[in-house]
Amino acid sequence: MTENKFVLNWLEEMKALCKPDSVVWIDGSEEQLEALRAEAVESGEMIKLNQEKLPGCYYHRTAENDVARVEDRTFICTPTEEEAGPINNWMAPDEMYAKLNALYDGSMVGRTMYVIPYSMGPVGSPFSKIGIELTDSIYVVLNMAIMTRIGDKVLEKIEGDEFIKCLHAKKDVNPDERYIVHFPQDNTIMSVNSAYGGNVLLGKKCFALRIASYLGKNEGWMAEHMLILGLENPQGEVKYIAAAFPSACGKTNLAMLIPPKYLKEKGYKVWTVGDDIAWLRIGPDGRLYAVNPEAGFFGVAPGTSEKTNFNALESTKKNTIFTNVAINNDDMTVWWEGLDKNPPENCTEWTGKQVNGKTYEGNLAHPNSRFTAPAINCPCISSEFENPQGVPISAIVFGGRRAKTAPLVYQARDWEHGVFVGATMASETTAAAAGAVGVVRRDPMAMKPFVGYNMADYFGHWLEMGKKMDPEKAPKIFHVNWFRKDDDGNFLWPGFGDNMRVLLWILDRCAGKADAVESPIGLLPTANDIDTTDLDVTEEQLSELLSVDKSVWMEDVENQEEYFAQFGDRLPAEIKNQLEILKNNLK
Ligand code: OXD
Ligand code: MN
């Protein structure tokens, strides 16, 4: 335990509020975790899976009303509404504390409160930050043990009141009284009435993005919704890329990419540093460095297969917790849509119903069912994964799902333009009919649901970070779109491993080794600049992939302008200026 009076006083306060029957400190030992697994199996909170086929793997089912992050119940409670900005839900801190205190009062009567000290980032790294999560859920403890570094080794590192206070009470998962609340000025996160990962593993979106983005702004660093990968060339040199895509645009797939055969044979490799979150700081040499603050992957299961993401699938073969997937009752293994074409006949679908999976109409696994897998399980985990100094970033890549607008890849002219490219990021809904353009949701830097303060100030912070870096050493900024379609609604680009071809042009640009041509939106490769060896993409298709349709862009610019208008005077002048440049270029 600890003598730290800030920790102990807060714990006493929270105990007095929640009134648990007992308090258990999580020390991080395997022995304690194993005892908790057994207890959770005993109580029915978790199901033990086939220990020969899936050693150390368990199953958990959430309530049917509690299966995803709830953006409409997520609040940023800054002293003024202006500080939270127009994108976030806001309530005055006093009002919210009063509401929450009533909900937490006696919430753990008859239950155990677990105290989880955890580090986001390698323990002791200059990038890392510490949190303590109090929870009444063993499922949360066991997930946090995979997703973060936990226990006594973390507790020892807390200095004074330098930790994020996180309180989670499961209660009866009533969706009408569900709240995921952040008090950035108080280093406090409170979550109640949920047991779903993104709402209750408070180190992830709540701390590592919302609170950390606020800390980053004040302390001069960045917390971003980005994967980090290392690309090794045949000479053994590794260059690192950080990339931000909205949910369901293939971040985990890109992070664990397997190069096309001919590039693999030449000796190219991809190493995964992170698949969801990056913390970035300017190093003593003026370059931007990144760490992945997490220790595991909380990945969407459906669609993950040997073909689409071999490395992610491998990562789930041991010591993994599966949530809301389907169970094959015959051998107690797991199944989800897209895993293979062989759904189990004797199946427990995600809500617990016994069904014939072969004839069942509907989802056997929930579309947002998840695996929580240790990062060290990943066959391509980077040797730099634990490097406390992080990895130097050569390129930042933004991306979205755009049927018509964005070309396969383009480069921003400079940092300021790159910030604008990130700020205008958007993604289309996927349900659009063939050929039709989907509904555009603007998602700046893929951070729409995750910025813990006013989005306009967040753009300002990006611009400030650029000013602190030598332009020669700052990462170059790019935008990619793997989802461009032809007029018949067919994808023009194969995606998956072949995305490596685009990454190679990006890294060649960073090294000054590749050409680019000016366009109204930025710097484009020519069709000759993308290596299409062994690829079934015609030169015509590639030209279409790289084309910029001015009229489609003019429409997008209107949409951008409307979006930016909500920030009023707070929108940085540089963003307005870039919008004017783009408009002029399109004329
Ligand atoms: C997300 C996630 O929703 O990573 O972005 O879970
Ligand atoms: Mn994410």
Side-chain angles (χ1 to χ4, degrees):
M1 278 168 36
T2 182
E3 313 246 292
N4 181 316
K5 66 178 194 314
F6 296 98
V7 173
L8 295 175
N9 290 346
W10 171 63
L11 180 59
E12 282 312 310
E13 247 179 75
M14 295 304 107
K15 267 165 61 183
L17 177 63
C18 301
K19 306 180 180 65
D21 280 15
S22 56
V23 173
V24 171
W25 285 80
I26 299 301
D27 58 24
S29 68
E30 185 45 35
E31 218 178 4
Q32 186 186 40
L33 294 174
E34 191 53 28
L36 288 171
R37 286 179 201 117
E39 193 180 328
V41 169
E42 177 74 26
S43 72
E45 189 177 352
M46 298 219 299
I47 294 170
K48 201 171 193 166
L49 294 166
N50 185 323
Q51 295 299 296
E52 259 162 49
K53 292 186 175 171
L54 296 169
C57 292
Y58 290 80
Y59 181 90
H60 175 78
R61 177 178 297 127
T62 66
E64 285 178 49
N65 72 28
D66 190 25
V67 292
R69 284 188 291 103
V70 279
E71 289 179 20
D72 58 328
R73 316 282 318 171
T74 300
F75 286 78
I76 303 293
C77 295
T78 42
T80 65
E81 188 166 4
E82 185 78 8
E83 286 161 273
I87 303 291
N88 288 311
N89 299 314
W90 175 86
M91 198 184 284
D94 286 352
E95 198 185 330
M96 183 57 96
Y97 276 126
K99 190 185 266 299
L100 290 177
N101 286 343
L103 286 173
Y104 282 100
D105 191 4
S107 60
M108 295 187 191
V109 170
R111 301 177 66 79
T112 300
M113 175 188 270
Y114 300 94
V115 184
I116 319 168
Y118 67 94
S119 174
M120 297 314 292
V123 179
S125 151
F127 284 70
S128 297
K129 298 270 177 194
I130 293 175
I132 299 182
E133 177 161 352
L134 310 179
T135 178
D136 57 351
S137 158
I138 294 181
Y139 170 74
V140 168
V141 174
L142 296 174
N143 273 275
M144 288 293 284
I146 296 172
M147 293 305 296
T148 72
R149 287 94 171 160
I150 59 163
D152 290 347
K153 61 180 189 278
V154 179
L155 195 57
E156 283 162 18
K157 294 272 185 223
I158 299 180
E159 286 175 21
D161 62 353
E162 298 235 334
F163 66 101
I164 306 299
K165 304 177 202 121
C166 310
L167 177 65
H168 165 244
K170 184 174 170 182
K171 289 201 68 162
D172 54 1
V173 296
N174 175 356
D176 299 328
E177 295 196 327
R178 187 170 295 155
Y179 287 96
I180 319 299
V181 185
H182 310 72
F183 300 93
Q185 279 78 358
D186 300 344
N187 287 329
T188 295
I189 302 165
M190 297 173 87
S191 161
V192 67
N193 270 313
S194 176
Y196 166 77
N199 300 327
V200 298
L201 308 180
L202 300 182
K204 193 173 177 65
K205 303 298 187 184
C206 299
F207 178 176
L209 288 177
R210 299 196 189 96
I211 294 290
S213 62
Y214 173 81
L215 294 174
K217 180 182 74 108
N218 292 335
E219 297 170 3
W221 54 281
M222 304 161 94
E224 298 298 328
H225 193 198
M226 287 178 175
L227 67 92
I228 310 163
L229 68 80
L231 200 154
E232 182 176 336
N233 70 14
Q235 291 73 47
E237 295 157 350
V238 186
K239 296 268 192 272
Y240 295 91
I241 295 174
F245 306 133
S247 306
C249 290
K251 258 196 347 280
T252 306
N253 289 348
L254 189 67
M256 299 178 191
L257 173 151
I258 295 180
K261 191 158 164 275
Y262 90 100
L263 287 172
K264 210 151 87 182
E265 281 167 6
K266 277 192 184 172
Y268 284 97
K269 292 180 187 132
V270 167
W271 301 106
T272 308
V273 181
D275 80 325
D276 194 42
I277 300 177
W279 283 4
L280 304 121
R281 281 176 187 269
I282 299 170
D285 60 358
R287 299 186 69 185
L288 193 63
Y289 285 78
V291 299
N292 170 9
E294 301 190 281
F297 309 124
F298 184 63
V300 176
T304 307
S305 72
E306 223 164 88
K307 234 177 103 196
T308 60
N309 196 336
F310 171 85
N311 289 315
L313 192 62
E314 277 301 298
S315 307
T316 68
K317 297 273 168 81
K318 59 180 181 190
N319 304 327
T320 292
I321 299 172
F322 295 94
T323 304
N324 293 343
V325 299
I327 297 178
N328 181 340
N329 299 335
D330 287 336
D331 65 354
M332 290 307 285
T333 55
V334 287
W335 194 86
W336 51 77
E337 279 70 19
L339 174 66
D340 55 38
K341 294 203 164 73
N342 193 25
E345 193 170 331
N346 184 9
C347 180
T348 306
E349 58 87 276
W350 73 273
T351 63
K353 253 194 310 216
Q354 301 305 305
V355 300
N356 180 341
K358 299 241 184 282
T359 54
Y360 189 68
E361 287 180 21
N363 292 317
L364 293 173
H366 187 275
N368 192 34
S369 55
R370 299 276 177 152
F371 54 79
T372 316
I376 49 163
N377 283 1
C378 182
C380 59
I381 194 72
S382 165
S383 58
E384 302 303 295
F385 172 66
E386 294 278 356
N387 186 338
Q389 307 305 325
V391 295
I393 299 297
S394 299
I396 288 175
V397 178
F398 296 120
R401 190 184 276 274
R402 303 303 300 266
K404 286 288 172 196
T405 328
L408 178 63
V409 59
Y410 65 101
Q411 183 182 354
R413 288 178 288 268
D414 51 32
W415 184 272
E416 186 180 304
H417 180 223
V419 175
F420 176 75
V421 169
T424 50
M425 248 175 81
S427 216
E428 281 149 13
T429 51
T430 51
V437 175
V439 180
V440 176
R441 163 174 146 137
R442 301 230 83 94
D443 189 354
M445 284 82 170
M447 284 287 278
K448 179 191 180 293
F450 306 123
V451 178
Y453 58 101
N454 193 312
M455 182 74 87
D457 299 350
Y458 168 78
F459 298 151
H461 180 52
W462 263 84
L463 292 162
E464 281 308 306
M465 288 294 292
K467 288 180 196 146
K468 289 185 192 156
M469 278 179 283
D470 175 346
E472 289 301 312
K473 292 181 177 167
K476 305 284 178 279
I477 301 181
F478 299 80
H479 187 283
V480 299
N481 175 24
W482 317 133
F483 302 95
R484 186 89 175 233
K485 288 181 175 174
D486 65 17
D487 290 336
D488 298 324
N490 305 307
F491 287 113
L492 283 159
W493 182 248
F496 297 103
D498 288 310
N499 293 337
M500 172 102 169
R501 299 165 192 270
V502 175
L503 300 185
L504 289 179
W505 179 77
I506 287 175
L507 288 179
D508 279 350
R509 283 295 297 166
C510 294
K513 290 197 266 183
D515 287 336
V517 289
E518 292 277 355
S519 87
I521 62 167
L523 303 161
L524 284 165
T526 64
N528 290 334
D529 295 321
I530 305 287
D531 185 349
T532 53
T533 311
D534 290 349
L535 197 64
D536 209 13
V537 173
T538 62
E539 206 171 311
E540 241 178 12
Q541 283 170 320
L542 201 53
S543 298
E544 190 174 346
L545 274 161
L546 295 171
S547 65
V548 175
D549 182 331
K550 285 192 184 182
S551 63
V552 176
W553 271 90
M554 279 310 274
E555 268 175 48
D556 201 61
V557 163
E558 271 175 38
N559 186 278
Q560 292 174 15
E561 209 161 11
E562 268 170 42
Y563 184 78
F564 286 140
Q566 67 189 310
F567 302 110
D569 291 345
R570 222 155 162 139
L571 188 72
E574 291 91 334
I575 300 287
K576 285 182 216 152
N577 184 37
Q578 286 292 336
L579 187 65
E580 288 311 310
I581 295 174
L582 177 58
K583 273 201 224 165
N584 276 326
N585 288 352
L586 289 168
K587 263 181 200 153

